[in-house]
């Protein structure tokens, strides 16, 4: 992937250079900027950024945030044209998508874009004069796709908490209300070296345990209640595929587990597996307010084991058992056991993000692997680390919002539950 990104980088620079040479010839300067004899009075009046070589301009843009790039485009006609080059935003999109820590049903990039060839001549602006945007039809609007998916941009969609809400929230906390209930399942609960469920039960600084409800479900129990933000209670029913001894044996021997939560009924017309949930799972699906799927995001896991089709079919089977309701949200915790040493090194944020993407499946590709864009339910994929529970609170906040709980002041980079 790194080689493809480098190849796309060179294509972007060539595209920007040809575009400037053709439509802004007055901006064209030689790379040897020290040759003062070739610099006339008009050139000396240019802005410093305008007179730089295109490859240097591109390098500067790679260090800017999306918001700053848009501000740069508002400074002049020249920069407005340069920052709207589709190839430029395609580069940003493919470079940054693997580092996004979350994605949801509103911000997921077009799947056709992900499957398209990395470089396409149709994306270039070489044959478009600056200002002819209305007459230009692009196959993909890479700029829009980037801005809707980038976490720093989605953060601006979040509602802020008014001052009076502090008092209102306190009064609401005095009124008893039914706590949302969620069913949690998935291979990430059982295959990782660090148990997410065990860490969750022993992390009072993250999510304090508030008790065990009396509402029982045969074969499953009552679940465990947690307190979010010292204010909102919610209950989690944990659905394991088999008993603890079999899970541990399969994890150590790197073998697949005979999943007792589902019965394989066969395949459909397209050859995909069809599952039926067990009776106790069906009962749980009827009473819960949403679902938490714990996916194993450790690099190459889904591709190596070929679990993708089974995961997709089991998620669909669970959602189908929920009475056909599309109002029940699905939170996918894209989980790894622990942070890798190179991912926590102090080598700069960009290097940290690249290292992070190497050892885990990026959330955008996890959403694609699980077939989430084809679901009718609201969904979100959140990168999570079992050892530190990093990212968990962002996912829980989104889930509570989907259940109608008014959660303010969190750092969740999306507004999918609005």
């Amino acid at each position: 992937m790194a080689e493809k990104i480098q190849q796309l980088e060179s294509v972007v620079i060539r595209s920007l250079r040809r575009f400037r040479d053709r439509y802004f010839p007055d901006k064209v300067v030689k790379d040897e900027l020290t040759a003062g004899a070739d610099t006339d009075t008009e050139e000396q009046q240019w802005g410093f950024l305008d007179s730089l070589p295109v490859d240097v301009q591109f390098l500067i843009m790679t260090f800017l945030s999306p918001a700053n790039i848009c501000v740069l485009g508002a400074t002049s006609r020249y920069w407005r044209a340069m920052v709207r080059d589709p190839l430029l935003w395609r580069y940003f999109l493919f470079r940054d998508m693997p580092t996004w820590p979350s994605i949801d049903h509103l911000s997921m990039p077009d799947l056709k874009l992900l499957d398209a060839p990395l470089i396409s001549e149709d994306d270039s602006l070489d044959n478009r004069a600056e200002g002819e945007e209305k007459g230009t039809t692009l196959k993909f609007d890479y700029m829009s796709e980037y801005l809707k998916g980038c976490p720093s941009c989605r953060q601006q969609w979040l509602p802020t908490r008014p001052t009076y809400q502090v008092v209102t929230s306190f009064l609401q906390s005095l009124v008893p209300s039914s706590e949302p209930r969620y069913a949690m399942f998935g291979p990430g609960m059982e295959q990782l070296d660090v148990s997410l469920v065990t860490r969750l039960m022993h992390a009072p600084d993250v999510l304090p345990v508030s008790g065990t409800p009396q509402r029982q479900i045969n074969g499953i129990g009552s679940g465990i209640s947690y307190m979010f933000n010292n204010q909102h209670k919610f209950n989690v029913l944990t659905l394991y595929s088999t008993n603890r001894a079999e899970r541990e044996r399969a994890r150590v021997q790197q073998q697949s587990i005979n999943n007792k939560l589902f019965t394989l009924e066969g395949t459909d017309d397209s050859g995909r597996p069809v599952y039926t949930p067990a009776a106790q799972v069906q009962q749980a699906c009827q009473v819960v307010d949403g679902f938490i799927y714990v996916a194993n995001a450790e690099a190459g896991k889904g591709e190596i084991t070929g679990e993708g089709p089974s995961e997709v079919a089991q998620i669909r089977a669970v959602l189908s058992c929920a009475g056909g309701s599309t109002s029940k949200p699905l939170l996918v915790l894209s989980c790894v056991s622990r942070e890798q040493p190179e991912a926590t090194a102090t080598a700069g944020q960009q290097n940290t993000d690249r290292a992070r993407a190497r050892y885990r499946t990026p959330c955008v590709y996890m959403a694609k692997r699980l077939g989430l864009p084809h679901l009718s339910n609201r969904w979100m994929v959140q990168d999570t680390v079992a050892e530190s529970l990093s990212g968990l609170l962002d996912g829980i906040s989104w889930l509570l919002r989907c259940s109608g709980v008014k959660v303010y002041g969190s750092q969740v980079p999306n507004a999918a539950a609005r």
Side-chain angles (χ1 to χ4, degrees):
M1 187 64 179
E3 294 180 0
K4 293 181 178 180
I5 296 300
Q6 285 185 341
Q7 183 183 9
L8 182 55
E9 179 179 328
S10 62
V11 172
V12 172
I13 293 174
R14 289 199 303 270
S15 174
L16 292 175
R17 182 178 291 117
R18 287 195 299 266
F19 185 70
R20 185 174 80 164
D21 292 352
R22 181 172 182 180
Y23 299 112
F24 294 91
D26 58 317
K27 302 287 186 184
V28 178
V29 294
K30 296 180 180 180
D31 289 343
E32 301 86 23
L33 295 178
T34 57
D38 296 332
T39 303
D40 57 21
T41 305
E42 184 179 355
E43 280 186 310
Q44 294 176 2
Q45 296 176 354
W46 296 350
F48 176 72
L49 262 174
D50 297 15
S51 61
L52 292 174
V54 169
D55 53 346
V56 178
Q57 293 177 344
F58 170 75
L59 180 61
I60 292 174
M61 286 190 284
T62 62
F63 286 97
L64 298 179
S65 68
N68 288 336
I69 291 177
C70 293
V71 171
L72 177 63
T75 58
S76 68
R77 180 170 169 264
Y78 169 73
W79 281 108
R80 180 175 181 272
M82 295 293 277
V83 303
R84 290 181 65 85
D85 189 336
L87 276 175
L88 175 68
W89 287 97
R90 179 160 194 170
Y91 167 80
F92 288 143
L93 190 63
F94 278 87
R95 183 197 67 177
D96 296 344
M97 270 194 311
T99 69
W100 292 348
S102 67
I103 206 75
D104 57 42
H105 64 288
L106 294 179
S107 57
M108 178 71 180
D110 193 331
L111 285 179
K112 294 179 181 178
L113 184 151
L114 298 180
D115 294 330
L118 191 60
I119 298 175
S120 173
E121 292 300 328
D122 295 337
D123 300 330
S124 178
L125 288 183
D126 291 346
N127 297 321
R128 179 186 72 87
E130 196 279 328
E132 291 182 357
E133 295 161 358
K134 294 183 178 179
T136 303
T137 302
L138 297 176
K139 189 175 182 180
F140 296 110
D141 187 349
Y142 299 104
M143 183 177 181
S144 296
E145 293 292 326
Y146 186 99
L147 294 179
K148 81 173 183 180
C150 178
S152 63
C153 298
R154 284 184 279 147
Q155 179 68 30
Q156 301 177 7
W157 305 353
L158 283 177
T160 56
R161 186 178 192 181
T163 304
Y164 69 84
Q165 282 289 345
V166 177
V167 178
T168 305
S169 298
F170 171 74
L171 296 177
Q172 289 176 343
S173 67
L174 302 179
V175 181
S177 59
S178 59
E179 59 190 68
R181 231 175 172 188
Y182 306 108
M184 184 164 69
F185 66 107
M189 290 168 44
E190 306 166 359
Q191 297 174 353
L192 300 178
D193 295 335
V194 179
S195 171
L196 176 68
V197 177
T198 301
R199 284 288 297 119
L200 185 58
M201 294 175 61
H202 298 87
D205 56 325
V206 180
L207 280 175
V209 176
S210 63
T212 302
Q214 299 301 316
R215 297 175 293 174
Q216 295 284 332
I217 296 179
N218 294 333
I220 295 179
S222 60
I224 298 176
S225 291
Y226 298 91
M227 183 71 73
F228 177 82
N229 203 22
N230 294 321
Q231 184 177 356
H232 308 291
K233 279 188 177 183
F234 67 97
N235 180 254
V236 176
L237 299 170
T238 306
L239 308 179
Y240 284 109
S241 62
T242 186
N243 60 60
R244 182 175 180 178
E246 293 181 1
R247 295 197 308 268
E248 184 63 23
R249 188 184 313 114
R251 186 187 66 80
V252 173
Q253 299 177 359
Q254 295 295 311
Q255 296 177 349
S256 60
I257 299 176
N258 182 20
N259 197 325
K260 298 178 181 179
L261 295 177
F262 301 93
T263 301
L264 180 61
E265 300 293 345
T267 57
D268 58 16
D269 296 338
S270 60
R272 293 173 295 189
V274 177
Y275 290 93
T276 299
Q280 68 271 21
V281 177
Q282 295 185 32
Q283 183 182 359
C285 292
Q286 294 291 333
V287 300
V288 297
D289 299 286
F291 302 94
I292 303 174
Y293 184 82
V294 185
N296 188 344
E298 293 185 341
K301 179 61 180 177
E303 292 78 3
I304 294 175
T305 61
E307 293 178 351
S310 296
E311 289 185 285
V312 173
Q314 290 171 7
I315 290 174
R316 289 182 176 273
V318 165
L319 295 179
S320 298
C321 283
S325 173
T326 59
S327 62
K328 296 185 178 182
L330 171 67
L331 169 64
V332 175
L333 298 178
S334 186
C335 200
V336 296
S337 295
R338 53 183 64 86
E339 296 280 5
Q340 295 298 306
E342 62 267 22
T344 57
T346 57
Q349 185 61 40
Q350 287 192 346
N351 290 337
T352 298
D353 290 341
R354 301 299 177 271
R356 185 170 175 271
R358 284 196 297 269
Y359 79 92
R360 71 179 305 146
T361 301
C363 62
V364 172
Y365 298 110
M366 178 63 74
K368 180 183 178 182
R369 185 179 100 188
L370 300 179
L372 302 184
H374 303 294
L375 298 179
S376 301
N377 300 65
R378 290 169 293 176
W379 57 265
M380 174 187 178
V381 181
Q382 173 65 52
D383 284 351
T384 309
V385 179
E387 186 176 58
S388 63
L389 297 181
S390 172
L392 177 66
L393 292 182
D394 290 339
I396 296 300
S397 176
W398 176 88
L399 200 56
L400 292 174
R401 289 174 186 271
C402 288
S403 299
V405 179
K406 294 183 179 180
V407 179
Y408 294 93
S410 64
Q411 299 299 317
V412 188
N414 67 78
R418 293 176 74 183

